[in-house]
Amino acid sequence: MYVGFDDTDSTRGMCTTFLAYIITENLLKRGVRFLEYPRLVRLNPNVPWKTRGNGAVALHFAADNADRVQQQITDMIGVYSDLQNGANPGAVFLRGNSITPRMKRLSRDALHKVVEISDACDIIRDGGGDAFSLGTGRGVIGALAAIAYDFRDSTAEIITYRSDANLGVPRQIKPDSVRVMQKTFPDTFNSYDDGSGQVLIAPRGPDPVFYGIRGENPGILYRASSMIMHTERLRGHMMFCTNQGTGDHLQHTIKARMMEPYSSGVVDGVISIEPQIMPGGHMCFSIKSEGHSIPCWAYRPTRLPQKLSGLMRGDHVIVSGGVRGESEDYSRAINIEKVHVQRLAPHITYKNPHCSRCNKSMKSKGRGQHFWCVRCGSTAEHRQQICMPRTISEGIYNAAVTAHRHLTRPPQRYNRVNHITFEPDTDWFAVYKD
Ligand code: ATP
């Protein structure tokens, strides 16, 4: 059986991965046999109704009494979802290996554009699955997308959970131990920002996650996790197979002609309006792509404005990011995540010609007339063309690690394709004893 679920949380509490943890605890107690690590699939980071990181979860297991298991999971989703604070939970159940090509396509689409609830429901029904939902039922989109996600590349995350008694109070984690744990880099990533000393593995909100460490394989994550020092009694941990750090939401080409709001992907173009720094330290420039002019914004927290300020008209760039819908004050635009500067245009300036005999700059005789050397009288027709050095180089410019999306592919993962193999006899799930 596959079960996917999503949208069980709100900004006030809960977390869909925590619901996965307690459902898994329950299933393991019943002797259910897991066939994969629980999946944590991040979907289009630009949908406006996400709570945090647009993550959906799926479990894949073999159970003797599938009907009873399905009923029990449905009940748990109803009980634990934060409905009072705006959760719109959805769950999808599929028996056997019934993931259809249409389900896979919806899952791919959900990574980079907006998908309709009705399309997800039709696909589930036609594929012989069952859907359960509360509220608007939007959660079925993520639930189906998580089940049908085809991992081209994958990473792992170990998430530890807090005890109920500690929810809402600051997390007691030792930042220095996280800094030291960085010696597992690059096999773990996005754990600590050396520049600011910021711990990136622990959220700040009221949700039950204590910390989550991301990396290339479960083995390195158990080791990294054992290095984290804290003074809080925790509830337990669970290992997830994820698409985090894969950059897979940027596989899609955003069509300049359509600029579908809230879609994610890349646009290829040539700078047509040079970068300008806006109030608040954000930066805006425009590119011309397929005859359309597209405004592109780099926001201050990404630290991209400093890195990209040397761009000029004529530079060929591939901009990655998400389409921001238009508002009263602003037109549709790309919010930049990454820029690949493909080719820099020459920076040409002009100056008066040089008299090589006197080693002096010549003077103009007037508008439309030639230039002459006031000392020896020699003349020249044209101004001299000078190619100035550029202040930016060709290459890839990424947002700062503190502004990375869950899906952002960190530079050390470029050209890397990873596959996570399930090892059922390891400590992938744990409830800590008091
Ligand atoms: P968390 O990361 O804390 O679990 P979240 O950021 O995942 O929270 P949700 O509360 O799950 O946010 O809300 C996201 C909602 O958007 C879900 O209902 C999900 O089904 C839906 N959704 C996800 N991707 C898409 C998409 N591409 N198009 C339309 N809806 C989507």
Side-chain angles (χ1 to χ4, degrees):
M1 176 185 272
Y2 289 97
V3 51
F5 43 94
D6 195 8
D7 213 333
T8 62
D9 56 2
S10 75
T11 45
R12 301 251 185 109
M14 263 306 282
C15 166
T16 303
T17 73
F18 179 62
L19 183 53
Y21 175 80
I22 45 184
I23 290 176
T24 301
E25 179 178 16
N26 206 286
L27 293 175
L28 289 170
K29 274 189 196 149
R30 291 174 151 269
V32 158
R33 190 165 53 87
F34 273 73
L35 303 174
E36 277 181 53
Y37 290 114
R39 294 165 161 226
L40 168 55
V41 175
R42 300 288 176 179
L43 300 167
N44 184 357
N46 293 301
V47 297
W49 42 80
K50 66 181 182 169
T51 308
R52 281 178 289 261
N54 202 7
V57 171
L59 307 174
H60 184 198
F61 52 84
D64 284 338
N65 192 338
D67 288 337
R68 259 198 36 216
V69 166
Q70 180 164 334
Q71 187 54 52
Q72 197 185 7
I73 294 176
T74 307
D75 292 345
M76 287 179 84
I77 292 171
V79 169
Y80 283 99
S81 295
D82 196 6
L83 295 165
Q84 304 87 314
N85 293 310
N88 290 297
V92 175
F93 300 88
L94 278 179
R95 310 274 174 101
N97 281 328
S98 47
I99 296 176
T100 62
R102 283 180 78 203
M103 291 177 182
K104 288 191 182 172
R105 199 171 323 122
L106 176 132
S107 181
R108 271 200 306 277
D109 286 351
L111 197 57
H112 64 78
K113 63 183 201 183
V114 172
V115 168
E116 298 300 328
I117 304 176
S118 55
D119 289 339
C121 290
D122 288 350
I123 293 172
I124 296 162
R125 198 191 45 243
D126 293 351
D130 290 329
F132 158 77
S133 63
L134 294 169
T136 64
R138 193 186 272 141
V140 295
I141 297 172
L144 178 59
I147 289 176
Y149 194 80
D150 214 351
F151 287 97
R152 188 185 61 88
D153 175 26
S154 48
T155 60
E157 177 163 4
I158 188 167
I159 303 186
T160 58
Y161 295 100
R162 313 184 78 183
S163 304
D164 289 348
N166 293 322
L167 296 182
V169 299
R171 289 166 179 79
Q172 302 300 325
I173 189 164
K174 301 242 158 81
D176 210 43
S177 69
V178 184
R179 187 183 56 74
V180 172
M181 183 272 279
Q182 288 257 93
K183 64 172 152 213
T184 54
F185 178 91
D187 290 330
T188 62
F189 52 87
N190 290 15
S191 305
Y192 187 82
D193 180 35
D194 282 312
S196 61
Q198 199 181 329
V199 168
L200 304 176
I201 59 172
R204 296 220 182 80
D207 60 290
V209 171
F210 185 64
Y211 64 73
I213 311 177
R214 287 122 196 249
E216 299 296 334
N217 59 70
I220 193 72
L221 295 182
Y222 297 126
R223 190 154 84 80
S225 189
S226 70
M227 296 167 78
I228 302 300
M229 303 211 309
H230 56 86
T231 52
E232 220 181 282
R233 196 178 290 281
L234 302 182
R235 181 173 181 141
H237 73 238
M238 187 154 87
M239 187 69 68
F240 290 88
C241 174
T242 90
N243 61 348
Q244 294 169 159
T246 63
D248 280 354
H249 63 309
L250 301 177
Q251 297 293 317
H252 161 81
T253 301
I254 296 173
K255 297 206 174 49
R257 169 170 56 87
M258 319 246 292
M259 287 279 283
E260 263 181 78
Y262 315 125
S263 60
S264 307
V266 298
V267 201
D268 193 316
V270 171
I271 306 271
S272 52
I273 300 178
E274 288 185 359
Q276 293 168 43
I277 296 294
M278 307 307 237
H282 312 306
M283 172 204 268
C284 183
F285 60 81
S286 289
I287 60 171
K288 199 87 177 196
S289 177
E290 296 167 0
H292 299 269
S293 178
I294 303 176
C296 302
W297 284 79
Y299 294 101
R300 188 173 158 186
T302 64
R303 298 187 210 145
L304 282 169
Q306 298 101 298
K307 297 181 191 171
L308 297 174
S309 59
L311 287 173
M312 292 180 59
R313 261 174 85 105
D315 291 341
H316 176 197
V317 290
I318 298 179
V319 177
S320 305
V323 179
R324 186 189 71 192
E326 64 255 295
S327 62
E328 259 178 34
D329 299 326
Y330 295 103
S331 59
R332 227 174 262 196
I334 303 272
N335 288 343
I336 306 174
E337 265 182 59
K338 177 172 99 174
V339 173
H340 187 168
V341 180
Q342 295 276 91
R343 196 182 45 75
L344 291 172
H347 181 190
I348 306 287
T349 59
Y350 294 88
K351 69 170 193 180
N352 287 0
H354 189 76
C355 174
S356 51
R357 201 182 306 156
C358 309
N359 199 20
K360 286 263 173 222
S361 186
M362 294 186 179
K363 293 255 181 306
S364 168
K365 282 208 126 183
R367 203 176 159 78
Q369 297 193 47
H370 60 258
F371 297 87
W372 69 299
C373 174
V374 285
R375 192 181 277 189
C376 71
S378 43
T379 59
E381 285 294 312
H382 302 291
R383 299 185 90 192
Q384 202 179 338
Q385 217 184 50
I386 303 172
C387 192
M388 300 289 284
R390 295 292 309 265
T391 55
I392 185 170
S393 323
E394 290 168 3
I396 297 177
Y397 293 83
N398 263 306
V401 66
T402 44
H404 275 197
R405 308 270 204 186
H406 296 279
L407 278 160
T408 303
R409 179 174 278 266
Q412 77 278 3
R413 296 204 79 251
Y414 288 166
N415 304 318
R416 184 163 186 166
V417 178
N418 196 31
H419 178 72
I420 308 275
T421 312
F422 183 45
E423 294 183 56
D425 299 328
T426 53
D427 265 347
W428 63 272
F429 178 90
V431 176
Y432 301 151
K433 301 271 179 301
D434 276 343

